[in-house]
Amino acid sequence: DRRAALARCLLDHVGEPDVPVGVGTRGKDYSAQPHEYRLEGFESVDPARLEDGAELIGRCLRAAAAKEVTVVCISSLADLAAVVRADPGLVLSRVRHVAVQGGLEARPDGDPGAGASELSRRWRADSSVNNGFDAPAAEAVYAFCFDEGVPLSVVSRNAVPLLPMQLAQSFAERF
């Protein structure tokens, strides 16, 4: 995956060749802009240095001490959701906090199902891009955190001021 290769290349550039990089589950199609992959060495990243995203999360959790891991999701939540579904006990025992770049909105119907926590009954994933890559996965992660009491921080697009497109394009043209 090109995004994982970009992360691998960037980590190599900053002197962190041993930090593992996982290839996330494929979500919705995305058309990258040419400037996004203009980094020296990107084309020569060895795919063998990239791991399956869900397997990497599981491996890291199994190697961690109790309540030692903070999971930060800045794209699709599909891989974390896969680990939650496969081994919820592992996630509960090792994760101390989940932080998501995504969003939540009030649930109009107020009832996602029997046995759900008060938070799950009140909130659902919003239409943010990262939630939209795999909406059922986003719902599963949020519900798991709410229902199991895993501390959760969600930073929505509303926390970031809009940039004029001209300013954003000028940055893209520089690099």
Side-chain angles (χ1 to χ4, degrees):
D1 178 73
R2 293 176 60 83
R3 290 234 181 248
L6 182 62
R8 170 76 280 140
C9 183
L10 183 61
L11 286 165
D12 290 346
H13 274 280
V14 298
E16 296 293 341
D18 298 327
V19 172
V21 174
V23 176
T25 302
R26 185 172 173 82
K28 289 184 176 180
D29 286 336
Y30 171 75
S31 297
Q33 300 300 310
H35 70 273
E36 293 184 56
Y37 298 105
R38 269 193 237 146
L39 185 61
E40 184 180 328
F42 169 74
E43 295 298 335
S44 60
V45 169
D46 181 1
R49 294 181 67 208
L50 307 174
E51 301 181 46
D52 174 81
E55 289 176 14
L56 175 59
I57 293 170
R59 183 173 63 79
C60 289
L61 290 178
R62 284 188 293 281
K67 299 295 183 183
E68 181 179 64
V69 177
T70 296
V71 178
V72 179
C73 299
I74 58 171
S75 190
S76 171
L77 281 72
D79 295 305
L80 180 57
V83 177
V84 163
R85 289 179 186 119
D87 196 345
L90 175 66
V91 178
L92 278 173
S93 69
R94 300 303 202 280
V95 173
R96 70 173 166 208
H97 194 102
V98 174
V100 177
Q101 182 182 6
L104 293 163
E105 62 187 10
R107 186 182 294 278
D109 58 8
D111 187 13
S117 70
E118 175 65 23
L119 289 171
S120 285
R121 286 192 295 276
R122 292 180 29 216
W123 298 99
R124 68 177 182 191
D126 72 3
S127 62
S128 64
V129 172
N130 291 342
N131 287 341
F133 286 132
D134 188 328
E139 285 286 343
V141 169
Y142 293 138
F144 177 79
C145 291
F146 289 153
D147 296 347
E148 300 298 334
V150 176
L152 173 68
S153 298
V154 181
V155 179
S156 80
R157 59 184 165 234
N158 297 324
V160 180
L162 292 175
L163 287 176
M165 185 52 71
Q166 183 179 9
L167 178 62
Q169 287 174 338
S170 71
F171 284 124
E173 289 168 2
R174 289 183 190 173
F175 304 101

